[in-house]
Protein backbone atom coordinates (compact mmCIF):
# COMPACT_ATOMS: atom_id res chain seq x y z
CA UNK A 1 0.00 0.00 0.00
CA UNK A 2 1.24 3.50 -0.76
CA UNK A 3 0.71 5.56 2.38
CA UNK A 4 1.27 8.86 0.60
CA UNK A 5 4.25 9.52 2.84
CA UNK A 6 6.77 12.09 1.82
CA UNK A 7 10.15 11.35 0.33
CA UNK A 8 12.89 13.46 1.89
CA UNK A 9 16.60 14.13 1.40
CA UNK A 10 19.11 12.64 3.81
CA UNK A 11 19.70 15.92 5.72
CA UNK A 12 15.94 16.47 5.90
CA UNK A 13 15.49 12.98 7.31
CA UNK A 14 18.18 13.60 9.91
CA UNK A 15 16.53 16.88 10.87
CA UNK A 16 13.06 15.34 11.19
CA UNK A 17 14.41 12.55 13.39
CA UNK A 18 16.35 14.89 15.65
CA UNK A 19 13.33 17.17 16.09
CA UNK A 20 11.36 14.15 17.29
CA UNK A 21 13.84 13.21 20.03
CA UNK A 22 13.27 14.06 23.67
CA UNK A 23 16.26 12.94 25.75
CA UNK A 24 15.61 10.11 28.19
CA UNK A 25 15.70 10.54 31.96
CA UNK A 26 18.62 9.93 34.31
CA UNK A 27 19.83 6.93 36.24
CA UNK A 28 22.54 6.66 38.84
CA UNK A 29 25.31 4.15 38.21
CA UNK A 30 28.63 3.15 39.71
CA UNK A 31 31.58 4.97 38.18
CA UNK A 32 33.03 1.51 37.49
CA UNK A 33 30.43 1.21 34.75
CA UNK A 34 30.31 4.81 33.62
CA UNK A 35 32.73 4.83 30.69
CA UNK A 36 31.10 5.94 27.41
CA UNK A 37 27.91 6.95 29.22
CA UNK A 38 26.60 10.49 28.91
CA UNK A 39 26.45 12.72 31.96
CA UNK A 40 23.04 13.91 33.11
CA UNK A 41 24.60 16.37 35.57
CA UNK A 42 27.34 18.95 35.65
CA UNK A 43 30.20 17.94 37.92
CA UNK A 44 31.43 20.82 40.06
CA UNK A 45 34.54 20.19 42.11
CA UNK A 46 33.99 20.41 45.87
CA UNK A 47 37.67 19.92 46.68
CA UNK A 48 41.15 20.93 45.60
CA UNK A 49 43.07 18.27 43.68
CA UNK A 50 45.75 17.76 44.86
CA UNK A 51 44.62 18.93 48.30
CA UNK A 52 48.15 19.91 49.43
CA UNK A 53 51.41 21.14 48.00
CA UNK A 54 53.34 17.98 47.28
CA UNK A 55 56.44 16.59 45.64
CA UNK A 56 56.48 15.48 42.01
CA UNK A 57 59.67 13.40 42.50
CA UNK A 58 61.56 11.19 44.89
CA UNK A 59 64.35 13.44 46.15
CA UNK A 60 65.06 16.25 48.61
CA UNK A 61 62.77 19.11 49.49
CA UNK A 62 64.87 22.27 49.60
CA UNK A 63 64.76 26.01 49.52
CA UNK A 64 65.69 26.88 45.94
CA UNK A 65 67.72 29.96 46.86
CA UNK A 66 69.87 27.85 49.15
CA UNK A 67 71.06 25.72 46.21
CA UNK A 68 72.65 28.47 44.07
CA UNK A 69 75.77 27.43 42.20
CA UNK A 70 75.45 23.69 42.93
CA UNK A 71 77.27 21.59 40.28
CA UNK A 72 78.93 18.13 40.14
CA UNK A 73 82.34 19.62 40.91
CA UNK A 74 80.89 22.14 43.38
CA UNK A 75 78.10 20.38 45.28
CA UNK A 76 76.03 22.22 47.85
CA UNK A 77 75.87 20.29 51.14
CA UNK A 78 72.65 20.27 53.15
CA UNK A 79 71.78 18.56 56.38
CA UNK A 80 68.94 16.04 56.14
CA UNK A 81 66.48 16.86 58.91
CA UNK A 82 63.84 14.22 58.21
CA UNK A 83 61.91 12.15 55.72
CA UNK A 84 58.32 12.22 54.41
CA UNK A 85 56.72 9.32 52.57
CA UNK A 86 53.69 9.48 50.28
CA UNK A 87 50.77 9.53 52.68
CA UNK A 88 53.05 10.72 55.49
CA UNK A 89 52.87 13.95 57.45
CA UNK A 90 55.24 16.95 57.23
CA UNK A 91 54.37 17.87 60.84
CA UNK A 92 57.25 19.34 62.73
CA UNK A 93 59.54 19.38 59.68
CA UNK A 94 60.76 22.61 58.16
CA UNK A 95 63.28 23.42 55.48
CA UNK A 96 65.55 26.36 56.10
CA UNK A 97 68.76 27.39 54.31
CA UNK A 98 71.30 24.61 54.83
CA UNK A 99 68.64 21.93 55.54
CA UNK A 100 66.77 19.43 53.37
CA UNK A 101 64.05 16.83 53.90
CA UNK A 102 64.13 13.50 52.09
CA UNK A 103 60.77 13.23 50.31
CA UNK A 104 58.90 10.75 48.10
CA UNK A 105 56.67 11.43 45.10
CA UNK A 106 53.24 12.56 46.22
CA UNK A 107 54.31 13.32 49.80
CA UNK A 108 53.22 16.68 51.25
CA UNK A 109 55.99 19.29 51.22
CA UNK A 110 57.43 20.46 54.55
CA UNK A 111 57.15 24.09 55.62
CA UNK A 112 59.59 26.36 53.81
CA UNK A 113 60.39 24.04 50.91
CA UNK A 114 59.81 25.49 47.45
CA UNK A 115 61.53 22.88 45.27
CA UNK A 116 62.56 19.25 45.11
CA UNK A 117 65.87 17.98 43.73
CA UNK A 118 65.51 14.43 42.50
CA UNK A 119 67.72 11.64 43.90
CA UNK A 120 69.50 11.28 40.53
CA UNK A 121 71.03 14.76 41.01
CA UNK A 122 72.28 14.14 44.54
CA UNK A 123 74.75 12.09 46.65
CA UNK A 124 73.93 11.16 50.23
CA UNK A 125 76.27 10.27 53.08
CA UNK A 126 76.08 10.31 56.89
CA UNK A 127 72.97 12.38 57.24
CA UNK A 128 74.04 14.95 54.65
CA UNK A 129 73.07 15.35 51.04
CA UNK A 130 75.19 16.88 48.29
CA UNK A 131 73.21 18.58 45.53
CA UNK A 132 74.92 18.30 42.14
CA UNK A 133 72.83 21.02 40.56
CA UNK A 134 70.77 24.07 41.42
CA UNK A 135 67.04 23.88 41.98
CA UNK A 136 64.73 26.40 40.37
CA UNK A 137 61.85 27.73 42.48
CA UNK A 138 58.79 25.42 42.17
CA UNK A 139 60.72 22.71 40.36
CA UNK A 140 59.11 19.29 40.96
CA UNK A 141 56.55 21.11 43.05
CA UNK A 142 52.87 20.23 42.76
CA UNK A 143 50.69 23.21 43.64
CA UNK A 144 47.57 22.65 45.70
CA UNK A 145 44.62 22.60 43.27
CA UNK A 146 46.81 22.62 40.18
CA UNK A 147 44.75 19.73 38.77
CA UNK A 148 41.27 20.82 39.86
CA UNK A 149 40.14 23.81 41.90
CA UNK A 150 37.15 23.91 44.23
CA UNK A 151 34.15 25.32 42.40
CA UNK A 152 35.48 24.47 38.96
CA UNK A 153 32.96 22.91 36.54
CA UNK A 154 35.03 19.92 35.51
CA UNK A 155 32.49 17.92 33.49
CA UNK A 156 29.32 19.04 31.76
CA UNK A 157 25.90 17.54 31.26
CA UNK A 158 25.98 15.74 27.91
CA UNK A 159 29.70 14.88 28.10
CA UNK A 160 30.47 11.34 27.04
CA UNK A 161 32.67 9.97 29.80
CA UNK A 162 36.08 8.66 28.80
CA UNK A 163 38.52 6.85 31.06
CA UNK A 164 40.16 10.11 32.19
CA UNK A 165 36.74 11.52 33.11
CA UNK A 166 36.08 8.45 35.26
CA UNK A 167 39.43 9.16 36.94
CA UNK A 168 38.32 12.73 37.61
CA UNK A 169 35.08 11.45 39.16
CA UNK A 170 37.12 9.12 41.36
CA UNK A 171 39.47 11.93 42.40
CA UNK A 172 36.43 13.95 43.50
CA UNK A 173 35.08 11.00 45.49
CA UNK A 174 32.01 10.30 43.35
CA UNK A 175 31.11 6.66 43.87
CA UNK A 176 28.15 6.97 41.55
CA UNK A 177 27.24 9.36 38.79
CA UNK A 178 23.99 10.43 37.14
CA UNK A 179 23.92 9.53 33.46
CA UNK A 180 21.22 9.40 30.80
CA UNK A 181 19.32 6.13 30.75
CA UNK A 182 20.22 3.86 27.85
CA UNK A 183 17.56 3.59 25.17
CA UNK A 184 15.98 0.16 24.85
CA UNK A 185 15.91 -0.84 21.22
CA UNK A 186 13.54 -3.53 19.99
CA UNK A 187 14.62 -5.16 16.75
CA UNK A 188 12.25 -7.05 14.50
CA UNK A 189 13.25 -8.85 11.33
CA UNK A 190 10.62 -9.48 8.70
CA UNK A 191 10.62 -11.92 5.82
CA UNK A 192 9.31 -15.34 4.88
CA UNK A 193 12.79 -16.17 3.64
CA UNK A 194 14.62 -15.57 6.92
CA UNK A 195 16.17 -18.24 9.10
CA UNK A 196 17.62 -17.44 12.52
CA UNK A 197 21.18 -18.47 13.26
CA UNK A 198 21.14 -22.09 14.40
CA UNK A 199 18.06 -23.00 12.39
CA UNK A 200 18.28 -25.33 9.43
CA UNK A 201 18.67 -23.37 6.21
CA UNK A 202 16.02 -24.71 3.86
CA UNK A 203 16.05 -24.13 0.12
CA UNK A 204 15.56 -20.46 -0.75
CA UNK A 205 16.12 -19.20 2.77
CA UNK A 206 18.71 -16.69 3.94
CA UNK A 207 20.13 -16.07 7.35
CA UNK A 208 18.67 -13.22 9.37
CA UNK A 209 21.80 -11.09 9.29
CA UNK A 210 20.19 -7.81 10.25
CA UNK A 211 19.04 -8.83 13.70
CA UNK A 212 22.57 -9.64 14.79
CA UNK A 213 24.35 -6.82 12.98
CA UNK A 214 21.88 -4.21 14.22
CA UNK A 215 22.10 -5.50 17.79
CA UNK A 216 25.86 -5.11 17.49
CA UNK A 217 25.48 -1.55 16.19
CA UNK A 218 23.08 -0.67 18.98
CA UNK A 219 25.49 -2.06 21.57
CA UNK A 220 28.30 -0.04 20.03
CA UNK A 221 26.47 3.13 20.94
CA UNK A 222 25.62 1.85 24.38
CA UNK A 223 21.93 1.24 23.78
CA UNK A 224 20.19 -1.90 25.05
CA UNK A 225 19.07 -3.95 22.06
CA UNK A 226 16.65 -6.81 22.16
CA UNK A 227 15.86 -8.95 19.17
CA UNK A 228 12.20 -9.90 19.26
CA UNK A 229 12.45 -12.43 16.47
CA UNK A 230 11.36 -12.85 12.89
CA UNK A 231 7.91 -11.88 11.67
CA UNK A 232 6.77 -13.70 8.58
CA UNK A 233 5.38 -11.60 5.75
CA UNK A 234 1.85 -11.31 7.07
CA UNK A 235 0.18 -8.29 8.62
CA UNK A 236 -1.02 -10.12 11.76
CA UNK A 237 2.48 -11.47 12.46
CA UNK A 238 4.15 -8.12 11.99
CA UNK A 239 1.49 -6.52 14.19
CA UNK A 240 1.90 -9.15 16.86
CA UNK A 241 5.67 -8.68 17.12
CA UNK A 242 5.30 -4.91 17.04
CA UNK A 243 2.85 -5.12 19.91
CA UNK A 244 5.59 -6.75 21.96
CA UNK A 245 8.07 -4.06 20.96
CA UNK A 246 6.22 -1.27 22.72
CA UNK A 247 8.19 -1.56 25.94
CA UNK A 248 11.16 -0.19 24.04
CA UNK A 249 12.12 3.44 23.41
CA UNK A 250 13.14 2.77 19.82
CA UNK A 251 11.64 0.18 17.50
CA UNK A 252 13.60 -1.00 14.48
CA UNK A 253 12.15 -3.29 11.90
CA UNK A 254 14.00 -4.44 8.83
CA UNK A 255 12.63 -5.56 5.53
CA UNK A 256 9.07 -5.46 4.38
CA UNK A 257 9.14 -1.70 4.16
CA UNK A 258 9.02 -1.02 0.45
CA UNK A 259 6.39 -1.40 -2.22
CA UNK A 260 6.52 -5.20 -2.50
CA UNK A 261 3.32 -7.20 -2.45
CA UNK A 262 4.31 -8.68 0.91
CA UNK A 263 5.60 -5.51 2.56
CA UNK A 264 3.37 -5.00 5.59
CA UNK A 265 5.47 -2.94 7.97
CA UNK A 266 4.01 0.46 7.15
CA UNK A 267 0.48 -0.97 7.42
CA UNK A 268 1.34 -2.41 10.79
CA UNK A 269 2.76 0.92 12.00
CA UNK A 270 -0.34 2.73 10.73
CA UNK A 271 -2.65 0.26 12.52
CA UNK A 272 -0.75 0.84 15.73
CA UNK A 273 -1.24 4.60 15.48
CA UNK A 274 2.34 5.52 14.69
CA UNK A 275 2.53 8.98 13.14
CA UNK A 276 4.78 8.57 10.11
CA UNK A 277 7.12 11.51 9.48
CA UNK A 278 8.67 10.36 6.22
CA UNK A 279 8.27 7.35 3.98
CA UNK A 280 11.41 7.26 1.87
CA UNK A 281 14.80 8.93 1.69
CA UNK A 282 16.58 10.02 -1.50
CA UNK A 283 19.72 8.07 -0.66
CA UNK A 284 21.27 4.89 -1.96
CA UNK A 285 21.59 2.54 -0.23
CA UNK A 286 18.78 3.22 2.18
CA UNK A 287 15.90 4.47 0.08
CA UNK A 288 13.14 2.37 1.67
CA UNK A 289 13.68 3.85 5.12
CA UNK A 290 10.75 5.36 6.94
CA UNK A 291 10.35 6.94 10.31
CA UNK A 292 7.52 7.70 12.68
CA UNK A 293 6.76 8.52 16.29
CA UNK A 294 4.21 7.65 18.92
CA UNK A 295 4.27 9.09 22.42
CA UNK A 296 7.99 9.80 22.43
CA UNK A 297 8.91 6.41 20.96
CA UNK A 298 10.78 6.34 17.68
CA UNK A 299 9.87 3.84 14.96
CA UNK A 300 12.22 3.08 12.10
CA UNK A 301 11.40 0.80 9.21
CA UNK A 302 14.80 -0.03 7.75
CA UNK A 303 15.51 -1.70 4.42
CA UNK A 304 15.97 -5.45 4.27
CA UNK A 305 19.31 -5.53 2.55
CA UNK A 306 21.92 -5.74 5.30
CA UNK A 307 24.17 -3.07 3.82
CA UNK A 308 21.22 -0.71 3.43
CA UNK A 309 19.95 -1.48 6.91
CA UNK A 310 23.34 -0.78 8.49
CA UNK A 311 23.87 2.35 6.43
CA UNK A 312 20.49 3.65 7.62
CA UNK A 313 21.45 2.75 11.15
CA UNK A 314 24.63 4.81 10.85
CA UNK A 315 22.93 7.84 9.30
CA UNK A 316 19.60 7.86 11.14
CA UNK A 317 19.34 5.52 14.09
CA UNK A 318 22.71 6.08 15.73
CA UNK A 319 22.37 9.88 15.95
CA UNK A 320 18.86 9.38 17.33
CA UNK A 321 20.12 6.98 20.03
CA UNK A 322 22.90 9.39 20.95
CA UNK A 323 20.46 12.30 21.12
CA UNK A 324 18.16 10.21 23.35
CA UNK A 325 21.16 9.77 25.61
CA UNK A 326 21.67 13.53 25.75
CA UNK A 327 24.75 13.67 23.53
CA UNK A 328 25.81 16.93 21.90
CA UNK A 329 28.13 15.21 19.45
CA UNK A 330 25.84 13.43 17.02
CA UNK A 331 27.51 13.11 13.65
CA UNK A 332 30.62 11.54 12.22
CA UNK A 333 33.10 13.99 10.71
CA UNK A 334 33.00 14.64 6.98
CA UNK A 335 36.32 15.50 5.35
CA UNK A 336 37.59 16.06 1.85
CA UNK A 337 39.61 13.29 0.18
CA UNK A 338 41.28 12.59 -3.16
CA UNK A 339 39.69 9.78 -5.17
CA UNK A 340 42.23 7.05 -5.94
CA UNK A 341 39.97 5.46 -8.53
CA UNK A 342 37.47 6.72 -11.06
CA UNK A 343 33.84 6.36 -10.06
CA UNK A 344 31.81 5.73 -13.15
CA UNK A 345 28.13 5.67 -12.41
CA UNK A 346 25.35 7.28 -14.30
CA UNK A 347 23.88 10.34 -12.62
CA UNK A 348 21.16 9.53 -10.13
CA UNK A 349 18.63 11.71 -8.39
CA UNK A 350 19.62 10.05 -5.15
CA UNK A 351 22.56 10.94 -3.00
CA UNK A 352 24.84 7.93 -3.01
CA UNK A 353 26.97 6.61 -0.17
CA UNK A 354 29.71 4.30 -1.38
CA UNK A 355 31.62 2.13 1.03
CA UNK A 356 35.22 3.32 1.03
CA UNK A 357 38.56 3.03 2.73
CA UNK A 358 40.50 6.17 3.37
CA UNK A 359 44.18 6.43 4.07
CA UNK A 360 46.50 9.36 4.70
CA UNK A 361 49.27 10.11 2.23
CA UNK A 362 51.45 13.22 2.38
CA UNK A 363 49.08 14.73 4.90
CA UNK A 364 46.04 14.30 2.64
CA UNK A 365 43.08 11.96 2.81
CA UNK A 366 42.86 9.51 -0.09
CA UNK A 367 39.96 7.19 -0.68
CA UNK A 368 38.97 4.19 -2.79
CA UNK A 369 35.82 2.09 -2.77
CA UNK A 370 35.85 -1.30 -1.09
CA UNK A 371 34.78 -3.07 -4.27
CA UNK A 372 31.37 -4.15 -5.49
CA UNK A 373 28.83 -1.65 -4.18
CA UNK A 374 25.69 -3.77 -4.56
CA UNK A 375 23.74 -3.34 -1.36
CA UNK A 376 23.53 -7.11 -0.92
CA UNK A 377 27.31 -7.41 -0.64
CA UNK A 378 28.06 -7.21 3.04
CA UNK A 379 31.81 -7.45 2.67
CA UNK A 380 31.86 -3.97 1.16
CA UNK A 381 30.75 -2.53 4.48
CA UNK A 382 32.99 -4.69 6.60
CA UNK A 383 36.07 -3.40 4.84
CA UNK A 384 34.90 0.21 4.93
CA UNK A 385 36.13 2.92 7.27
CA UNK A 386 34.23 5.69 5.51
CA UNK A 387 31.33 6.43 3.22
CA UNK A 388 32.07 8.34 0.03
CA UNK A 389 29.40 10.97 -0.51
CA UNK A 390 28.33 11.23 -4.15
CA UNK A 391 25.86 14.10 -4.50
CA UNK A 392 22.68 13.61 -6.53
CA UNK A 393 23.03 14.24 -10.26
CA UNK A 394 26.80 13.90 -10.34
CA UNK A 395 28.23 12.00 -13.29
CA UNK A 396 31.51 10.19 -13.70
CA UNK A 397 34.27 11.23 -11.35
CA UNK A 398 37.86 10.76 -12.48
CA UNK A 399 40.66 9.61 -10.18
CA UNK A 400 42.27 12.63 -8.57
CA UNK A 401 39.00 14.44 -8.02
CA UNK A 402 38.17 15.64 -4.52
CA UNK A 403 35.17 14.07 -2.86
CA UNK A 404 33.71 14.28 0.60
CA UNK A 405 33.89 11.26 2.85
CA UNK A 406 32.20 10.54 6.15
CA UNK A 407 34.56 8.90 8.64
CA UNK A 408 32.23 6.26 10.05
CA UNK A 409 34.89 4.65 12.24
CA UNK A 410 35.68 7.99 13.92
CA UNK A 411 33.73 9.11 16.92
CA UNK A 412 31.08 11.77 16.56
CA UNK A 413 32.06 15.43 16.67
CA UNK A 414 30.13 18.58 17.51
CA UNK A 415 28.31 20.40 14.72
CA UNK A 416 25.95 19.48 11.88
CA UNK A 417 26.17 16.31 9.80
CA UNK A 418 28.02 17.98 6.93
CA UNK A 419 26.15 16.48 3.98
P1 LIG B 1 12.80 -6.52 1.67
O1 LIG B 1 13.10 -5.12 2.09
O2 LIG B 1 11.97 -7.27 2.67
O3 LIG B 1 12.21 -6.57 0.30
O4 LIG B 1 14.19 -7.27 1.59
C1 LIG B 1 15.18 -6.87 0.68
C2 LIG B 1 16.30 -7.89 0.63
O5 LIG B 1 16.92 -7.98 1.89
C3 LIG B 1 15.87 -9.29 0.30
O6 LIG B 1 16.86 -9.88 -0.52
C4 LIG B 1 15.80 -9.96 1.63
O7 LIG B 1 15.99 -11.36 1.57
C5 LIG B 1 16.95 -9.33 2.36
N1 LIG B 1 16.70 -9.32 3.79
C6 LIG B 1 15.60 -8.87 4.41
N2 LIG B 1 15.70 -8.99 5.74
C7 LIG B 1 16.92 -9.54 5.97
C8 LIG B 1 17.61 -9.92 7.14
N3 LIG B 1 17.08 -9.75 8.36
N4 LIG B 1 18.84 -10.46 7.02
C9 LIG B 1 19.39 -10.62 5.79
N5 LIG B 1 18.79 -10.27 4.65
C10 LIG B 1 17.56 -9.75 4.72
MG1 LIG C 1 10.93 -8.94 2.76
Amino acid sequence: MNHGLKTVSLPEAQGIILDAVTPLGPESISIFRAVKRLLHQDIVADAMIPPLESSARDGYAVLARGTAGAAPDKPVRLEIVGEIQAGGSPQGLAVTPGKAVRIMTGAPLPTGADAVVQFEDTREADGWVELLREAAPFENYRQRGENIKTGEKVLLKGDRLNAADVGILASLNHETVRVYRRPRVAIISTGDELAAVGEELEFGKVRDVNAYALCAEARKCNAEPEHLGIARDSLPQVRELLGRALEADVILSTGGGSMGKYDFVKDAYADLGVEMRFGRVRVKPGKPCSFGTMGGKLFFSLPGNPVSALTCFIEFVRPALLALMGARKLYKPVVSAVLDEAIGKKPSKNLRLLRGRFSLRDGEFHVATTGDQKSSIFKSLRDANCLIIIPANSGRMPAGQKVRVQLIAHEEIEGPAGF
Side-chain angles (χ1 to χ4, degrees), residues 97 135 174 179 329 405:
H174 288 259
V179 295
K329 299 175 182 173
V405 299

Side-chain angles (χ1 to χ4, degrees), residues 79-362:
E79 188 190 352
I80 302 167
V81 294
E83 177 180 292
I84 313 170
Q85 291 171 244
S89 163
Q91 277 245 317
L93 288 174
V95 168
T96 49
K99 315 264 185 213
V101 168
R102 196 185 296 112
I103 193 162
M104 307 306 147
T105 306
L109 285 163
T111 314
D114 65 359
V116 173
V117 180
Q118 60 185 16
F119 283 138
E120 291 83 337
D121 296 325
T122 65
R123 266 194 310 256
E124 187 187 319
D126 305 325
W128 290 76
V129 60
E130 293 185 339
L131 306 184
L132 307 179
R133 67 170 187 83
E134 288 185 3
F138 301 109
E139 194 178 348
N140 299 324
Y141 184 108
R142 291 184 188 157
Q143 302 276 5
R144 171 169 194 260
E146 71 177 11
N147 203 338
I148 295 172
K149 291 189 175 46
T150 307
E152 199 180 314
K153 246 190 202 183
V154 278
L155 297 168
L156 299 178
K157 189 170 179 180
D159 280 353
R160 177 193 273 276
L161 295 170
N162 63 25
D165 295 331
V166 174
I168 287 172
L169 289 169
S171 74
L172 291 170
N173 196 32
H174 288 259
E175 229 176 319
T176 58
V177 64
R178 222 161 57 234
V179 295
Y180 283 90
R181 187 166 73 67
R182 295 143 59 112
R184 282 166 307 194
V185 182
I187 297 171
I188 296 173
S189 316
T190 73
D192 280 350
E193 75 281 30
L194 300 181
V197 170
E199 259 175 44
E200 196 188 331
L201 198 66
E202 292 165 18
F203 175 81
K205 299 250 171 172
V206 297
R207 288 280 172 221
D208 175 5
V209 168
N210 292 344
Y212 305 89
L214 289 172
C215 277
E217 278 291 349
R219 266 189 224 293
K220 257 171 62 186
C221 45
N222 243 334
E224 273 179 23
E226 188 188 359
H227 182 225
L228 294 183
I230 299 170
R232 300 300 160 197
D233 288 319
S234 82
L235 185 56
Q237 273 219 19
V238 178
R239 258 201 219 127
E240 203 264 322
L241 266 197
L242 264 183
R244 287 205 269 131
L246 296 179
E247 296 275 288
D249 304 296
V250 176
I251 293 91
L252 304 181
S253 63
T254 76
S258 3
M259 304 294 199
K261 188 172 161 200
Y262 300 101
D263 291 340
F264 293 111
V265 170
K266 284 181 199 151
D267 296 321
Y269 280 2
D271 286 359
L272 206 66
V274 175
E275 189 186 333
M276 296 308 289
R277 307 294 181 112
F278 60 79
R280 274 157 99 70
V281 187
R282 282 188 294 276
V283 61
K284 266 181 113 165
K287 205 172 167 76
C289 175
S290 46
F291 169 73
T293 56
M294 188 173 69
K297 295 182 192 297
L298 311 181
F299 293 76
F300 291 87
S301 163
L302 304 180
N305 267 317
V307 170
S308 315
L310 283 184
T311 306
C312 287
F313 189 100
I314 293 168
E315 301 304 340
F316 305 125
V317 184
R318 188 176 158 101
L321 295 177
L322 294 175
L324 281 169
M325 285 186 276
R328 291 187 304 267
K329 299 175 182 173
L330 299 179
Y331 297 108
K332 306 281 186 185
V334 171
V335 300
S336 171
V338 179
L339 267 180
D340 276 349
E341 65 181 272
I343 291 178
K345 290 243 183 182
K346 48 182 188 322
S348 148
K349 59 182 193 315
N350 299 308
L351 175 92
R352 276 178 295 141
L353 297 171
L354 308 183
R355 275 74 70 207
R357 256 202 99 68
F358 75 84
S359 51
L360 263 177
R361 285 206 307 278
D362 305 326

